[in-house]
Amino acid sequence: MAANWWLALIIMVVLNGIVVWNFIVGQERVSRRAKKWFFIVANVIGLCLAVSQFFWMDF
């Protein structure tokens, strides 16, 4: 069960890391409102993936 929690944490960290990396490396300016929505969408996707792995992966 602990492996499920670690995998859920890794999923969230990786998705947030991808979003942050794109903002740091990206050349175009992004508004504060767009950044907020990128983080919201990334976290909703990450939350769905993290919760779904609890149902489909038995360790």
Side-chain angles (χ1 to χ4, degrees), residues 29-46:
R29 295 284 300 158
V30 179
S31 70
R32 187 175 292 176
R33 186 173 182 186
K35 285 182 185 179
K36 179 180 79 169
W37 279 105
F38 277 124
F39 276 109
I40 289 171
V41 169
N43 283 310
V44 166
I45 292 170

Side-chain angles (χ1 to χ4, degrees), residues 5-48:
W5 288 105
W6 280 108
L7 185 58
L9 180 67
I10 290 169
I11 289 170
M12 295 300 287
V13 168
V14 166
L15 285 177
N16 282 309
I18 290 170
V19 171
V20 170
W21 180 256
N22 282 329
F23 289 145
I24 291 172
V25 175
Q27 299 297 321
E28 63 274 353
R29 295 284 300 158
V30 179
S31 70
R32 187 175 292 176
R33 186 173 182 186
K35 285 182 185 179
K36 179 180 79 169
W37 279 105
F38 277 124
F39 276 109
I40 289 171
V41 169
N43 283 310
V44 166
I45 292 170
L47 185 62
C48 290

